[in-house]
Amino acid sequence: MSTVKTKVSSSATTEFKYFEVLLALFVAVLITSNIVSTKLITIGPATFVGGAVLFPLAYIFGDIFAEVYGYAKTRRVIWTGFLALTFLSLSLLLVQYLPAAPFWPNQQAYESILGFVPRIVAASLAAYVVGEFVNAYVLSRLKVRMQGRRFWARAIGSSFIGQTADTIVFFTAAFIGTLPAPVIFRLAVTAYVIKLSIEILFLPLTYAVVNFLKRKEGINVLDEKVSYNPFDISKSGT
């Protein structure tokens, strides 16, 4: 991979041409993947939620943000996504409980597809925050240790650990006590394999996007002096 002059943790105060576009696409992927997760899909012996096909893109975006712009910028991106998902959940909840028009026959269908299930939503939000921050942290620390080399290994390694954390948190919080343990385990493993496989499949494209952004933005952050506190979104945390 081509090298670009490194700017250490300077991304928080610099304007970039493509950052806002990537952020918008990231939020769109999060919202879409959560909506389509209301459908269960069966292909051959595998059963998984619809979001398992799209949600890996969120981790790919996470890899891109952390690799190009650094952990401090990625931290803000993660919290922006969290606020967007929270807004989506509260909006669906509000509309669900507003009285339906007497002549509108689809209230039950709305509740079945987009109905608010507090436990599932809470599990999804918790898994998202934990998984994304673990992914960003691991990629950032590996980049420092490897001095920016072997992005493929860092991307796969961070996704492996981040997706593991995400999957454990979600399936434990969402289904423990409501489904038999073997069923939960089978669903979790299937979702994990699908998500990680998609990330590996997209790795050449991720490489291309990362190289493009480093050239065009003129930045390649190495997080040697950054706060890894997930809640430190002040400038002092960069």
Side-chain angles (χ1 to χ4, degrees):
M1 185 169 65
S2 61
T3 59
V4 179
K5 183 180 179 180
T6 299
K7 299 179 182 180
V8 179
S9 298
S10 61
S11 61
T13 59
T14 305
E15 294 296 328
F16 301 111
K17 293 182 289 186
Y18 298 99
F19 182 83
E20 288 78 10
V21 175
L22 290 171
L23 176 58
L25 291 173
F26 173 73
V27 171
V29 166
L30 285 179
I31 291 176
T32 303
S33 63
N34 273 265
I35 293 175
V36 300
S37 288
T38 57
K39 178 174 180 177
L40 287 175
I41 299 171
T42 297
I43 299 178
T47 298
F48 52 92
V49 297
V53 178
L54 292 177
F55 192 71
L57 296 179
Y59 276 83
I60 293 173
F61 274 105
D63 290 343
I64 293 171
F65 281 119
E67 174 67 18
V68 177
Y69 301 102
Y71 182 87
K73 274 284 191 182
T74 305
R75 175 170 48 209
R76 292 172 179 265
V77 168
I78 293 171
W79 285 121
T80 300
F82 178 83
L83 291 176
L85 290 178
T86 301
F87 179 77
L88 170 67
S89 302
L90 293 178
S91 298
L92 294 177
L93 172 65
L94 174 63
V95 173
Q96 176 181 337
Y97 284 105
L98 286 174
F103 53 83
W104 191 64
N106 299 315
Q107 177 65 22
Q108 186 174 355
Y110 178 93
E111 293 182 6
S112 298
I113 301 300
L114 298 176
F116 184 83
V117 182
R119 181 173 178 177
I120 299 297
V121 171
S124 178
L125 289 172
Y128 159 75
V129 170
V130 172
E132 286 287 351
F133 272 114
V134 168
N135 182 75
Y137 173 81
V138 172
L139 191 144
S140 174
R141 295 310 302 157
L142 288 177
K143 184 175 183 181
V144 173
R145 178 169 294 186
M146 297 180 180
Q147 289 296 297
R149 297 185 294 271
R150 295 189 292 277
F151 171 67
W152 66 270
R154 293 184 281 108
I156 294 175
S158 63
S159 296
F160 178 84
I161 299 174
Q163 289 284 14
T164 298
D166 180 293
T167 302
I168 291 174
V169 170
F170 176 76
F171 282 93
T172 300
F175 299 116
I176 197 74
T178 63
L179 293 175
V183 174
I184 297 175
F185 180 77
R186 185 168 64 252
L187 289 172
V189 170
T190 300
Y192 178 80
V193 170
I194 291 173
K195 290 186 290 186
L196 196 61
S197 298
I198 291 175
E199 289 194 57
I200 294 174
L201 181 65
F202 274 79
L203 190 56
L205 178 59
T206 307
Y207 250 105
V209 173
V210 164
N211 282 333
F212 172 84
L213 290 171
K214 286 180 178 180
R215 289 195 305 270
K216 295 297 184 179
E217 303 283 38
I219 193 168
N220 181 8
V221 173
L222 196 64
D223 290 316
E224 294 178 321
K225 298 178 181 178
V226 65
S227 168
Y228 284 105
N229 179 357
F231 302 101
D232 187 1
I233 59 174
S234 64
K235 290 185 179 180
S236 62
T238 62

